Amino acid sequence: MNLKQIAAEHAATFVEDGMKVGLGTGSTAYFAICKIGERVQAGLNIQAVATSEASDKLAREWGIPIIPFDQIGRLDLTIDGADEVDPEFNLIKGGGGALLREKIVAANSNKLIIVADGSKAVQKLGKFPLPVEVVPFASEWTFQTLEKMGCQPKWRMNGEEQYLTDNGNLIADCQMGAIADATELNVQLNMLPGVVDNGLFVNMADVVIIAKEDGTIDELHRPQ
C-alpha cells in the first residue's frame, strides 16, 4: 500500500452514516473514493457530490449516490488531496486541473480534510507551480498580466493543444518561488480580469492527514 493510499483510507474513516460528502480529484482522492465506495457497498448511507467528471464517474462505478448540487445543500465534509500544504494549513491545489470545482465544493463544506504524503508538507508554498484558471477570451492579455506580476506563467498543455478544464477554461502554471503572503497573492490574482480562480486555498483546510515514509500517519487539526 502506498503512502497516498494509507492517508486516503484513514481520511475515509471520517465519513459517517447519513453524511453529505464532497469527493475530491486526483491520485490521492482516488483512493479515498474507492474506500468510501467499499463502505457504501457494505451498507454506509451517504450522499455525495464530485469535484470533477473523473471523480463523478469513479464514484458512480462504486455505487456512491451522486446528488445534484441544487438538492444536496451544504456538505458535512470534503476529502481531497493537495500539491503543497504549509504549517498554517494553506494549500496549493490544482495539479489535477480541477481547482475551481474543488474550491467551490470546499467552500460549501463544514470540514475540509486534506490528504497527502510527507513530500507535500512544506515550510513555504511555491515550489510547486501555482495553477491559475483563465477564461479563453483574450487569454493572452491575462497571460501578459501574469508575466508583468512576475508569476512566470506557462500554459498547461495536453499534447500539442492547450489543456482545458472541465469548465472549458485554460490553466497557466506559475512558477512563483517561495510565496511570502498566500492571503495577499490569492486576492491579487483573483482581482485580475480574466482569472477565474487560482490554486491557493487559504484558511480552508480543517484537518491535514500526512502519511510518513515509515507508514505512520500524522493527523493535524487547524486551531479553531
Side-chain angles (χ1 to χ4, degrees), residues 60-151:
R60 292 180 189 275
E61 289 173 353
W62 277 100
I64 299 172
I66 298 295
I67 308 300
F69 289 95
D70 63 349
Q71 296 177 22
I72 198 166
R74 190 163 178 84
L75 304 175
D76 294 294
L77 62 82
T78 289
I79 298 174
D80 209 342
D83 299 300
E84 286 186 342
V85 53
D86 74 9
E88 285 72 48
F89 286 33
N90 296 318
L91 317 169
I92 286 181
K93 289 176 52 54
L99 68 95
L100 178 59
R101 295 190 184 190
E102 288 172 340
K103 192 174 281 191
I104 291 171
V105 170
N108 287 278
S109 302
N110 293 335
K111 181 178 289 186
L112 175 60
I113 300 173
I114 293 298
V115 184
D117 61 65
S119 68
K120 306 299 174 62
V122 299
Q123 286 302 307
K124 280 284 186 183
L125 301 178
K127 184 176 181 180
F128 189 91
L130 175 63
V132 178
E133 189 158 340
V134 175
V135 295
F137 177 79
S139 59
E140 286 304 326
W141 285 354
T142 309
F143 188 89
Q144 290 166 14
T145 303
L146 292 171
E147 286 182 318
K148 291 174 184 175
M149 285 181 62
C151 296

Side-chain angles (χ1 to χ4, degrees), residues 146-162:
L146 292 171
E147 286 182 318
K148 291 174 184 175
M149 285 181 62
C151 296
Q152 301 185 56
K154 290 184 178 179
W155 289 125
R156 186 175 299 184
M157 304 299 291
N158 183 15
E160 297 296 316
E161 299 181 348
Q162 286 182 314

Side-chain angles (χ1 to χ4, degrees), residues 9-222:
E9 294 193 352
H10 179 77
T13 64
F14 280 76
V15 179
E16 299 176 1
D17 205 61
M19 277 189 169
K20 300 175 181 179
V21 180
L23 305 174
T25 294
S27 56
T28 306
Y30 169 89
F31 291 116
I33 293 171
C34 292
K35 188 62 177 180
I36 293 168
E38 289 179 6
R39 295 184 61 200
V40 166
Q41 292 182 356
L44 179 70
N45 177 35
I46 63 168
Q47 296 178 318
V49 296
T51 56
S52 67
E53 294 175 7
S55 291
D56 184 289
K57 181 175 182 290
L58 178 64
R60 292 180 189 275
E61 289 173 353
W62 277 100
I64 299 172
I66 298 295
I67 308 300
F69 289 95
D70 63 349
Q71 296 177 22
I72 198 166
R74 190 163 178 84
L75 304 175
D76 294 294
L77 62 82
T78 289
I79 298 174
D80 209 342
D83 299 300
E84 286 186 342
V85 53
D86 74 9
E88 285 72 48
F89 286 33
N90 296 318
L91 317 169
I92 286 181
K93 289 176 52 54
L99 68 95
L100 178 59
R101 295 190 184 190
E102 288 172 340
K103 192 174 281 191
I104 291 171
V105 170
N108 287 278
S109 302
N110 293 335
K111 181 178 289 186
L112 175 60
I113 300 173
I114 293 298
V115 184
D117 61 65
S119 68
K120 306 299 174 62
V122 299
Q123 286 302 307
K124 280 284 186 183
L125 301 178
K127 184 176 181 180
F128 189 91
L130 175 63
V132 178
E133 189 158 340
V134 175
V135 295
F137 177 79
S139 59
E140 286 304 326
W141 285 354
T142 309
F143 188 89
Q144 290 166 14
T145 303
L146 292 171
E147 286 182 318
K148 291 174 184 175
M149 285 181 62
C151 296
Q152 301 185 56
K154 290 184 178 179
W155 289 125
R156 186 175 299 184
M157 304 299 291
N158 183 15
E160 297 296 316
E161 299 181 348
Q162 286 182 314
Y163 176 89
L164 289 179
T165 70
D166 286 347
N167 310 296
N169 296 319
L170 309 172
I171 288 186
D173 288 310
C174 297
Q175 194 64 63
M176 303 294 302
I179 295 173
D181 190 331
T183 301
E184 181 180 354
L185 180 60
N186 179 50
V187 173
Q188 288 178 339
L189 289 171
N190 285 355
M191 288 294 289
L192 298 178
V195 169
V196 183
D197 213 323
N198 73 90
L200 286 170
F201 283 52
V202 178
N203 294 325
M204 299 187 78
D206 299 290
V207 180
V208 174
I209 296 170
I210 301 287
K212 298 188 291 187
E213 286 292 339
D214 61 2
T216 61
I217 289 173
D218 280 342
E219 182 182 306
L220 309 173
H221 294 255
R222 181 157 61 103

